[in-house]
Every structure is written in structure tokens, then in C-alpha cells.
Amino acid sequence: MSRLAVINPNMSVGFTDKIRDQAQRTIYPHNQVIALNPDFGPDSIEGYYDEAFASVGLLSVIRTLDPTGIDGYVVACFDDTGVDAARCLTHAPVMGLCEGAIRFAQALAGRYAIVTPMHVSVRPLEHLVRKYGADRDCVVRAAGVRTLDFEGENAAMAYDALYQRAQKSLHDDGAEAIVLGCAGMTDIADRLKSDLGVPVIDGVQAAIKMVEGLAELKLATSKHSTYGTPPAKSYHGMFDGFAPAFV
Amino acid sequence: MSRLAVINPNMSVGFTDKIRDQAQRTIYPHNQVIALNPDFGPDSIEGYYDEAFASVGLLSVIRTLDPTGIDGYVVACFDDTGVDAARCLTHAPVMGLCEGAIRFAQALAGRYAIVTPMHVSVRPLEHLVRKYGADRDCVVRAAGVRTLDFEGENAAMAYDALYQRAQKSLHDDGAEAIVLGCAGMTDIADRLKSDLGVPVIDGVQAAIKMVEGLAELKLATSKHSTYGTPPAKSYHGMFDGFAPAFV
Amino acid sequence: MSRLAVINPNMSVGFTDKIRDQAQRTIYPHNQVIALNPDFGPDSIEGYYDEAFASVGLLSVIRTLDPTGIDGYVVACFDDTGVDAARCLTHAPVMGLCEGAIRFAQALAGRYAIVTPMHVSVRPLEHLVRKYGADRDCVVRAAGVRTLDFEGENAAMAYDALYQRAQKSLHDDGAEAIVLGCAGMTDIADRLKSDLGVPVIDGVQAAIKMVEGLAELKLATSKHSTYGTPPAKSYHGMFDGFAPAFV
Amino acid sequence: MSRLAVINPNMSVGFTDKIRDQAQRTIYPHNQVIALNPDFGPDSIEGYYDEAFASVGLLSVIRTLDPTGIDGYVVACFDDTGVDAARCLTHAPVMGLCEGAIRFAQALAGRYAIVTPMHVSVRPLEHLVRKYGADRDCVVRAAGVRTLDFEGENAAMAYDALYQRAQKSLHDDGAEAIVLGCAGMTDIADRLKSDLGVPVIDGVQAAIKMVEGLAELKLATSKHSTYGTPPAKSYHGMFDGFAPAFV
Amino acid sequence: MSRLAVINPNMSVGFTDKIRDQAQRTIYPHNQVIALNPDFGPDSIEGYYDEAFASVGLLSVIRTLDPTGIDGYVVACFDDTGVDAARCLTHAPVMGLCEGAIRFAQALAGRYAIVTPMHVSVRPLEHLVRKYGADRDCVVRAAGVRTLDFEGENAAMAYDALYQRAQKSLHDDGAEAIVLGCAGMTDIADRLKSDLGVPVIDGVQAAIKMVEGLAELKLATSKHSTYGTPPAKSYHGMFDGFAPAFV
Amino acid sequence: MSRLAVINPNMSVGFTDKIRDQAQRTIYPHNQVIALNPDFGPDSIEGYYDEAFASVGLLSVIRTLDPTGIDGYVVACFDDTGVDAARCLTHAPVMGLCEGAIRFAQALAGRYAIVTPMHVSVRPLEHLVRKYGADRDCVVRAAGVRTLDFEGENAAMAYDALYQRAQKSLHDDGAEAIVLGCAGMTDIADRLKSDLGVPVIDGVQAAIKMVEGLAELKLATSKHSTYGTPPAKSYHGMFDGFAPAFV
């Protein structure tokens, strides 16, 4: 039995609830999952500035949870906010939605498109895609809506914009599968798959399955270099309590 | 519940047995796995020539199994023999050991090494690594032994050669994790992890976990283009029975 | 004097005849060329599945021919079907149409387009182009017709679709030359060159000239690693007769 | 006249003083420079974990300074900590030491080496180098000392380790110039240049010159997409005061 | 105080005058700049053929100037004509307009477009962009006018074509900043920036600032390998006087 | 029947004679070849500076020869001196030794090494290799001798240095074939092949075979963009006679 934590690095409780629902539907019955968000930080993550603050929130959650025995972490944001830092902090495997979704997409299609809500996210996601070695097979497109449009009264409009952009990408980019480029879309994968007739990959589900697999195999993050435990040192001011004090 | 098939594309029953044992230890208890090999083809796969024949054997097994309701396939060879063709043949997800192991390694380490038995495999594996977009993070090294040395009286010598090469790669290449570059090493991951002190990834286990995840999420191979179902046509001579006759 | 073999890896005698005509027109008068196809396998090659079977057919032909003293092989399929395996099997140089055509195109134009009949071939050809290191200079486009359309009553329609797609690529992609992306187009290079006003490269001709050159210089495939002779071993069942038994 | 701010994102006042000295020696006489560090955060930055906290400290300094009219920012850390987020926050140009040093090195040498103190920094710096498009010309090596060794009683030992590693890189890697891979080495460029006989580039100086140039030309960060101003939203808890409230 | 030379490698005195004006406006008041062109060679540089002759003209100017004590050179052509050879000839830093402009653009925008006058320049500039490691972030587009159109009666038309192409690139390519792809546009950066609302980078200004910075820091071209001083040897015929005779 | 011109761009008559001998041995009997060098320029080409002058010499020869009906040009220098400019000047195909040798090597080996005389050539050749898309399969090494050492009393020493370096590359780099990285080595390919036991590719021979093939197929350089005919314009001073005056 593995215990997983899915962490929404922003403060939107609505998102966290939606992600928790998806996580509970996704996880194998013999495993356990908790979903939570930090108790400080931004309401949503739209670009590098929000991401810097959300990273600290993410790390604060992991610091609290880790001693309770978590076997794997999912960072429930498509920007993979703070994943590298989180890998330094814990021995348990850590994965963001973008990495998880890309790994599954690469196994299912020769070319695929990430469709994300806002234009401002396109270049940062392209940088992630390149970091993950997928830039020759993956294009990033924006539906031209805001993240929060997928909830409430704009939801139908947002879905339509997403559908249109995905459809266009199948035709113009030669995409063969669609990756949902935002944690907030986690509940519409099935509908979109049915409407488009191609695989639609939700990062929440993909990352959970990857981390469940890693945890089951007792595979831990290497502490040999890149993700080595931070050397002990002093932190000051409002970060005083976050100093690494590891062996 | 998912039914998985792990196919060893060569004729070595010893290998198939070892892989079956590993698969049964690896699979989630609510799933089922069968492990088998073709009834024709080479005794082992060492280079492109053997691979061409083993690919047909692999496809023959999938043609037989697919109508029985298989939810995912693992191609239990580190060359990922015939994986592209297999993806055209079935809707179920298909993964080879190299792809599976790389996806897990990428989540655990900034740089890692595949250690394979024979020098002759280095360049073909480098081509695979490049195809998977991992060539900037992954090196391929050879232990200088033959695949079958990992069984029988040479096993201790083979393990030692593997250990020495992996150790050297941690030091000289900056590798932070080791990927076992051959299906026949599937039973030594734990020992090597213990001896080296870094994560050791076995492709059999990694690919099974990836495919279990894909199957659980009902994610199928896209039929939109790259892996589209082969158009109906005639095959002749000894391949007469292999003609595609799909809708 | 060199003896070349041009092998069509599928069973279409019409294609083989067309390729033989082109080969005989192309070869230097002091050399000899034979053109043939296997006596088993698929009628045409459209995607990875057909390719797996055609590879074995190709190897069967080379096994028969090689002891008769062949100085070079052309694999007359634009997918470069089985070329890597063939290079392991024989010491004589081996080249597929895609590789040959790309090498010539690279010398004539800063950017060029491969125009192939079917959309399903675009991604596999893009993978080949990447393997050959040409992906920054070469785009792959589909005319939207089937391979066999270039023969018989659809030939005029197929030519027109090819012409339109090539024209569009000159304009939209900045292509400066066109590569014919299918062995079946081998007889229309001159017409298309005349209609478009840019170089048009036929892979059959290009690969023959490359292999004639290699053979003339007595340059053989390196047996040092990647294309090393397969180690002796047993093959079973219907592949019993294909076991490598080399020194 | 331009006003520049050089921000050391960690809390080491010794480093900030050293950087201020270098900045004042480096800046054109008609410009002004201030050097400072945040009033909270880690004492040094050694890996991704420290970097996440230092990024917030960096942003806090820029939020305070920006309304006072700063024409350009240098982030005085070789990890380029928080540079992307900083570019979203201000219109003034922002540059980290790694980017600045690489741009100068690329103009002076066909191949060059970054020599950084700790092995743990090698992979993160390689990722930066790749992001900046310099990975084919630049290698990253570690001297095997800690950052703070360049001050105090270990300074001679640290210099010697740096010198030896640089010398080895000139010989083994074909490096033709050396980049100092840490802000704390900013005062030893001249000595090392003299000892090695090749150009030695200090990131503090290089980044200052780049930013002075950008500021002089009134070139601002594009707000069109990647570095667009963060949309207004609420931040909570200890980050309450950092919410973006821009037009 | 540094002395800079800005060399227009073609014979257009009108261009040289325009570049001199821009250089004098751009340079820091404590530095000196001279702008000149060779006394032989082509009237303009449009493609590789003109470039070969202009390179020799450039070198002839540097041979004359270098003994007078020049601290840095700008090659005032966007093709970076002869820059590699010039770096071999002198110890002073040398930079072309394309390299300078790209380095500044990379600091200001996630993606940017070079807009050049003629279509024939697109591929050569793409090769330069790739050489500088910027091909994943930079697109090259042509306005469809001739270089000399930016002077005289066609100037309004040429500006409009440039504006339209840049506008289209912001929209279609996701460009966030514009680089002026020709020395002859050096006087219109401000106007275009104002019309487009994004940063517009003029290579003359950018390269001058880069070289001023390098010169101020006493950073010289490495003579270790790539840009090593040419070994002494005889030159004959009309190049008799250009033989390298360096220590 | 094709008429080929092999142009040695430097003034070494000894080299030209050696190249002419090789060319005459290499060319098909039904073709004709002339070998010559410019009547001005440097005695040898060692780096970018010499190359700039030799490019003009090369173009001068082509301007004289082209109206006499040449069907293809080989630039007999391993730096591929002036090849891009030459392709603008003539419709006939043009190839340098490096490009020709690489295209043949790519067909024979999975990895190969260029062994060149001087260390100073390594980086420029690496840039060429990258331009040709071969940098993932090809390494460049230096034997540590001068070009002219392959003639006269140092010839035995030079051969031995070359042999040792090639041998080391087979072992350490995994090279499977050797490319001779200098026109002056053109007569030792057979001996080295015999001593090493792997294919050894001489660029003179390879480029001649490539150009013979292109010429036989009536394939001309595309004039569509990159290699477009230079627009008519005035040249001045000592280059007065080189002005392009094409239609």
C-alpha cells in the first residue's frame, strides 16, 4: 500500500476539490491519496511570477507531510511548479502534470498538442517541453480563455474554445492526441476524447499513475547530484523555519 | 481489472520464465499478466538483424492474443523490438523496456546511464534514446559481456562486470541512476541498487507499471496517423496469413 | 565493373518493373544492375506494420544474392525498410531511397520538401529525416493520394495533387527543391522539375548513384560495431533457414 | 545616466559587499549602481531548494526598488535565480550572471568551460546552458570546493582547485576561455586570466555591461507574452503583500 | 577610454554615413568611434557571393587599423560577414550585427523575429541563428523589399512593408520583439518600436554596446584554438600583401 | 559524358598535383576531370583567415571555367572553403570534401571520426559537421601535425601520428570508420584502411563520386533562394572584375 499526496500549489479550494475527486477516482483501490493546497500563496498560477510564490507554498506542504510517510507526490499544476526543488526536499518520487502527461502521450501518438487556456502560458510550457526532450513531437497551443473560465458560468464557452483549438491542432499541426494543459480541466478529458475521437490525456491522472508505479517499485529520487539533499544552512526572516537541516 | 501481455520477442524460454516471474511480482494484484514468446524466430536478439525477425514473431503473438481482450502489451526486449509496428496492429497501449525505463529514470535523476551487456548494442540504443528525446541526459555503456552470461556459470562474472561499469559511469559520466539495458538482467535490480546506492531501474518493471497505468485510464494508441491501422491488402508466401484485414 | 542489386521490398511486380527501368536508365554503362522483389510479403508498404514483414523479405533476397557477388544494394522503398538490418547482413554498401535523396538534396538547396503520397507516412518519414540529421532543412508533406494512384487511371489526378502540394511547399515552407517521397513516382521527376522550375530528386536515381560511388571506391560497411555481423545462433520455426552463421 | 541595481538573492552580506565592490569598479562612471540583498531567505544558494526561497527574496527587493526608478537589474547569482519571474515583475531589463557570462564568452571563444565550485551545481547549470542555447559550445565542470571556501582561510586551497580544474578543461575539453561559475569568485578573474593565459569571464562584470547597454538603449523587457505582467489576483497568508496589482 | 571601429564591409558610403551617425549617437561619451568601409569590393551584400568579397575588404580595413590601437570592432553587416576571420586577425573583440542583436533580444523576449529585406537572406540568416544557438527562439522573415529601398524615394513603401511583416510575425509566430535584419534600417528602430509596441532591436546599437562592454573589461578574443593567430605563410598575386606575419 | 573541375583553393602546386592524380584515378572513364588552383592567394589553408582569401581565389577559377561548360565542381579542401558562394555563382553542383566524406561515412558506420592534422582545425570542422547535421554521429580529432608534414621528410612521422589518433578514436570514441580530414592525405586512404581494418574515407574521392552522380542526373543547384544568382551590382577596386552580371 502506498500513500500519495497530490498538492495543488495554489490557493483555489475549488481546484483542490476537483483535483481530489479526480485523484480518488484515479488511484488504485489499495492505495491512499490526500489532496491539499498550501495555506499561503496566490489564488492561481498564471506565469513565472505566481509560480515563484507557489513553489514556496508547495515546499511548505511537503515539509509538513514528508515525516508522516508519503510514498509519492504529484504537483497538481501543469507548469510543474517547484518540482525540481521538491525533488531535493524528499526521497519520495515527485512528478508534475506536464511531465506525467507528456510521458503518456509519447507512448500513444507520434505527435500531440498541449492545449492550455492562456496565450501567456505557451512559451513557458514550450520551455518545459524542451526540458523534457519532447519539443520535436509536441506543440503547445492556447484556447484563449482564462483558467477559471472552466468553472462557473463560462464553462460552456471555455469548453467550446478548447474543443475548437484542439480540433484545429489535429488538422493543422498533425496532432494525433491532445494533452489538457491545465489542472483545472481534469474533469473534461472523457468528454473531449469522445468529441474528438483521439486520446485525450489529463495530467492529473497520468502523473498519479506514474507516481503510483514509482512508489510501488520503491524507486526513490537519486540523491547523487542534481536532486541532492540541500546542505544544512541558516534561513532568515519569514523563511526562518524553512532552513534545510538534513544529514 | 486489466489483462496484460508481456511478450519476449525471442525464443529463449529461460528468459521468458524469468520475465514472467518478474511480471507476476510486479503487477498489481487486481490485474492479470501473461508472459510468452513467439513460436518461431531467433534465440536471442543481438543487433538489427535478429531484431527484424523477432519483430515478426512479436506481431504474430499479438495477432493471436488481441482478439482475446488484452488491455496492454509490454515488449520485453530492451531494443523495443517491433514496438512501432505493434502500435499499428492493436488499439491497446504498447511499450518496450527502453522507453519505460527511460521515462522512470527521467523522473528520478538529472543524468543516468543505460548499462547494456554488449558493445554492439551501444549505438542502436543511442539511436533509441535519441528517438525518445533523452540523449542529452542519458549515456549508454556496455559491460562487455554477452546477454546469456547473466544466467548459469558466468553469472557472477557478468554481475561483476555490470557493477564495475555502472560504478565507473557514476563517477566519470556523472550518472545519478542506472538503467538495466537488457531484459535478462531483470532479477538483479535490487542487488545492484543496494551495491551502488543509487536508483536502479529495470525496464520490465517500469514498462509494466506504465502500461498498467495507461490501461487503467482506458488510454488507447491514437489511430489518427503515425500508428494508424494498416490498410487492408494482400500478403503472399509464408506471410500470407499476416495480411491486415482491419476495418 | 560493379554489380548492383535494387530490391523492391514489396510484392508489386509493377513497381519492380518501373524501378528496373529507372535503374537501367540510371546506371553507368560499365556497371550492371538487377532489380527484383522478394517472393513473399505485402503488396505495398504503408506504415510500420507492412514494413516489419517487408524487412524480412528484403533480407531473404540479400541472403540469396550476396554469395553471387553483389557490390552494392539499393533498398527501393522510401521508408528505407530494413536498411539497418541489411547493413549487418552484407559487407556491401546498402542505401535506401530516403537517405540517398536527402544526401543529394542537401547539396543542391538550403531547404527542401519531401512530398509523399499518404498522410500516414508523414511522421515515420519525419523520424527518418531526423535520424539522418536533416530535420532542420527538410519538411515532409503529403499529397493526399495513395501510392498506387500513380499508376493506372488515377495517374493524372495523382500527379496533379503532387504538383499542387509541391508548389505550395515552395511558397509556404520556403522549399527550394522537391524530393519524391515514394519509389512509385520514379518516372515523373523530369516532368515535375520542368513544371516547377526547381530541382526534383528521385530517390531511386540518387541511391543508385551513391551506391555506385561507394562500390567503385571499394568502400564497405564497417563491421566494427553498429553494423557488426550478427553472432551465430539458432533460429526456429518458419525462420529456421535465416539463422546467421557467419564467422 | 542609468541607475542599476545588483541584487544578491542570498543573505550573505560578505558576498553582497564583494559584489558591490566589483559592481562599482565595473560600472561606467556616468551610471549609478546599488548592491543589496533581501532581508529574508537562505545564507547561500546551493541547489534548487535554496533557489526557490531566494527567488521570493529577489522579487521582494525588486518590488521595493522598482518604483524608485531602476533602469536595469543584475541578479548576482550564477544560477540566474528568479530571473524569469523578475522579468515579469518589472519593465526594466534583468539579467543573471550565467546568461551575461555566456553571451560574452560566445563572442570570444569557440568553446569554453564554466567552472563552478560544487559538483551538485553541474547539472542545474547544464540545464541553464541548454536553455540559453549554448550547450554545444560550453561544458560545465566543478572544482570540488564549497562556495564559501573562496573567502577566509580556505581561499588559497579553493583558488588552487579552481585553477587546476580550469587548466584541465583547457586541455581535455578543448576549452578556450573560462567562465567563473559563482558570484563569489568575482574578485579573482584577473589573477586566473594571468595564470591561465586565456580569457576569464566574470558574470558580475558581464551582466552589468549587458544591462548597462540595454538600459542605455532604452530597451525594455517585452510584455507581449512570456514575460507579460502578472494578472491581478489575491495572495494569501505570509505572501499577502506580494500580490500583483498591476494594470 | 576605448577606441572602437565600426566597419561597413560594403562600399556604400551612404550606408557608412548612416551607420556612423548611429554609432556616434550610441557610443558612451568617454569612448571614441570611427566608421569606415573598405576601398574595394561590392556596393552591397546580398547573399554568399558578395559576402566572400566583402570579407576580404573587411580584413583589409582591420589590418590597417589594428596597429593604431583599436579596442573593439563592430562588423556593420547583419550577415556577420567575415567575423570569424576577423577574430583570427586581431586580439580585440569583434562582433557582427546579428550576434549582437540576438544576444540582446534573448534577454528581452521569449521569442522574437528577425525581419530582413530580401527573401534570399532568410536561409543564410537562419544558418547564422542556428550557429548562435538561437534557432528555437528566433524566426527569420523577409519584408520583400531590397536593402537600398530603405533610402530615397522608396523609403515609405519599404517601411510599410517592414511594419506589416513585423506585425504579422507578432501575431502568427508569437514573436514578442523584433530584430532589424539589416544595417540599413538602423535609423528606424524607434519609429517601429513606437508603432508596434514591442521592443525593436537594432544590431548596430546592440553590437556597439556589447563590444564597448568587452573592451571596457579588457576581454580579448581567445587565441587558444578556434580564433588562433594564423600561422605565417606566403600569399601570392593580388593578395600578396595580406599574408599573415604574426608572432 | 561530364566534365568535372576539382579546384584546390590554395596555391600549393604539390597539393594540386596530388589531388589531380587522385581525381584521375577516381573518375569514371567516360568522364573528364581537370584539377587546378587559383593564381593568387595563400599557400595553404589553416583557419578562417586563410579561408577568406582562398574563397575569392576559388570563385575566380569558377568564373573562368564556368563558361567553358563544367558539369560539376569539387572544392578540394576539407574546410569546404567558399562552397556556399560557389553555389551562388554556378548552376553546376558544387561539393566540398567534408560534405562528400560525411555523406559516405554516414552510409557505412553508426559513428565515425574525422582525423585532421592540426588542433586549430577541430572547432571549425565541428561547426561544419553541425551545419551538415552530423554532429551526433561524428567526432573531430587532431593528429597534432601540420598539413604539409604529409609530404617530404616528415611523412612517416605524420602517418604514424594519424594512425595513432585514428586507432585511439576507434577505441575511445566508438568510431567505426575514419574520415581523412585534409585534402593532403588523399593518397593514404588505402594504407590506413589496411592498417586499421575499418573503412577509411577520402574526401576527394567521395566528393568526386557525389558530383559525378549529380552531374549524370542533370541535377543543378536550386536558384530559388539560398543559392540564388547574385543580383547585378558594381564591384570596385581590385575586385572590379568580379562583379556579378548575371541575368
Side-chain angles (χ1 to χ4, degrees), chain A residues 132-150:
Chain A
Y132 295 143
D135 49 309
R136 299 213 261 194
D137 303 314
C138 177
V139 295
V140 183
R141 304 298 177 204
V145 295
R146 285 196 66 172
T147 303
L148 296 171
D149 286 337
F150 286 90

Side-chain angles (χ1 to χ4, degrees), chain C residues 8 10 20 50 66 75 102 157:
Chain C
N8 169 19
N10 70 50
R20 182 183 302 110
D50 294 338
D66 219 42
V75 179
I102 281 178
M157 177 278 293

Side-chain angles (χ1 to χ4, degrees), chain C:
Chain C
M1 195 274 288
S2 303
R3 284 188 71 227
L4 264 60
V6 179
I7 309 174
N8 169 19
N10 70 50
M11 298 284 288
S12 165
V13 175
F15 263 46
T16 308
D17 289 345
K18 194 191 281 193
I19 289 163
R20 182 183 302 110
D21 287 350
Q22 181 69 295
Q24 285 170 342
R25 271 194 303 273
T26 302
I27 203 156
Y28 291 117
H30 58 282
N31 288 333
Q32 291 181 356
V33 65
I34 56 175
L36 63 177
N37 56 245
D39 52 16
F40 56 88
D43 271 351
S44 64
I45 303 178
E46 297 169 317
Y48 292 117
Y49 183 83
D50 294 338
E51 196 177 332
F53 293 90
S55 293
V56 171
L58 171 82
L59 297 172
S60 75
V61 175
I62 296 177
R63 285 178 66 99
T64 305
L65 284 180
D66 219 42
T68 71
I70 298 295
D71 299 299
Y73 292 92
V74 169
V75 179
C77 177
F78 206 82
D79 298 329
D80 291 5
T81 305
V83 164
D84 284 329
R87 286 179 177 160
C88 296
L89 178 57
T90 174
H91 285 68
V94 181
M95 187 163 291
L97 304 195
C98 183
E99 185 172 353
I102 281 178
R103 297 319 178 205
F104 271 22
Q106 288 172 304
L108 300 175
R111 182 173 292 185
Y112 50 94
I114 296 170
V115 186
T116 192
M118 298 174 67
H119 290 287
V120 75
S121 304
V122 171
R123 289 298 288 165
L125 288 183
E126 287 179 347
H127 285 148
L128 264 190
V129 166
R130 189 189 300 178
K131 181 180 172 190
Y132 295 142
D135 50 310
R136 300 213 263 194
D137 303 314
C138 176
V139 294
V140 183
R141 304 297 177 204
V145 295
R146 285 196 67 173
T147 303
L148 296 171
D149 287 336
F150 285 91
E151 298 185 274
E153 60 184 16
N154 289 328
M157 177 278 293
Y159 179 83
D160 189 58
L162 174 69
Y163 169 79
Q164 298 295 342
R165 195 59 195 81
Q167 187 67 271
K168 183 172 159 65
S169 198
L170 297 185
H171 191 266
D172 293 359
D173 298 320
E176 306 166 6
I178 298 296
V179 170
L180 299 175
C182 174
M185 300 171 175
T186 192
D187 51 351
I188 58 181
D190 286 345
R191 180 177 169 199
L192 191 63
K193 177 164 78 168
S194 167
D195 288 352
L196 290 172
V198 298
V200 173
I201 295 133
D202 165 39
V204 176
Q205 293 186 303
I208 286 175
K209 286 297 161 207
M210 292 282 287
V211 171
E212 281 189 292
L214 289 161
E216 174 79 15
L217 301 179
K218 310 288 182 211
L219 284 167
T221 301
S222 177
K223 293 293 152 183
H224 196 56
S225 170
T226 309
Y227 302 124
T229 299
K233 73 187 55 170
S234 298
Y235 277 36
H236 304 278
M238 72 174 171
F239 290 155
D240 177 54
F242 292 101
F246 309 99
V247 179

Side-chain angles (χ1 to χ4, degrees), chain F residues 25-124:
Chain F
R25 272 193 303 274
T26 301
I27 203 157
Y28 291 116
H30 59 283
N31 288 333
Q32 291 181 355
V33 65
I34 55 175
L36 64 176
N37 55 245
D39 52 16
F40 57 89
D43 270 352
S44 63
I45 303 179
E46 296 170 316
Y48 292 119
Y49 183 83
D50 294 338
E51 196 178 330
F53 292 90
S55 292
V56 171
L58 172 82
L59 296 172
S60 76
V61 177
I62 296 178
R63 285 179 64 99
T64 305
L65 284 180
D66 218 43
T68 71
I70 298 295
D71 299 299
Y73 292 92
V74 168
V75 179
C77 178
F78 207 82
D79 299 328
D80 291 5
T81 306
V83 164
D84 284 328
R87 285 179 177 160
C88 297
L89 178 57
T90 172
H91 285 68
V94 181
M95 187 164 290
L97 304 195
C98 182
E99 184 172 354
I102 282 178
R103 298 318 180 205
F104 272 22
Q106 289 173 303
L108 300 175
R111 183 173 292 185
Y112 51 94
I114 296 170
V115 186
T116 193
M118 297 173 68
H119 291 287
V120 74
S121 304
V122 171
R123 289 297 290 163

Side-chain angles (χ1 to χ4, degrees), chain A residues 35-172:
Chain A
L36 64 176
N37 55 245
D39 52 15
F40 56 89
D43 271 351
S44 63
I45 302 178
E46 297 170 317
Y48 292 118
Y49 183 82
D50 294 338
E51 196 178 330
F53 293 90
S55 292
V56 171
L58 172 82
L59 297 172
S60 76
V61 177
I62 296 177
R63 284 179 66 97
T64 305
L65 284 180
D66 217 43
T68 71
I70 298 295
D71 299 300
Y73 292 93
V74 169
V75 179
C77 179
F78 206 82
D79 299 328
D80 291 5
T81 305
V83 163
D84 285 328
R87 285 178 177 160
C88 296
L89 178 56
T90 174
H91 285 67
V94 181
M95 188 165 289
L97 304 195
C98 182
E99 185 172 353
I102 281 177
R103 297 320 178 203
F104 272 23
Q106 288 172 303
L108 301 174
R111 182 173 292 186
Y112 50 94
I114 296 171
V115 186
T116 194
M118 298 174 67
H119 291 287
V120 74
S121 304
V122 171
R123 289 296 290 163
L125 289 182
E126 286 179 346
H127 285 148
L128 265 189
V129 166
R130 188 189 300 178
K131 181 179 172 190
Y132 295 143
D135 49 309
R136 299 213 261 194
D137 303 314
C138 177
V139 295
V140 183
R141 304 298 177 204
V145 295
R146 285 196 66 172
T147 303
L148 296 171
D149 286 337
F150 286 90
E151 297 185 277
E153 59 186 17
N154 290 329
M157 176 278 292
Y159 178 83
D160 190 58
L162 174 68
Y163 169 78
Q164 298 294 344
R165 195 60 195 80
Q167 187 68 271
K168 182 172 161 63
S169 197
L170 298 184
H171 190 266
D172 294 358

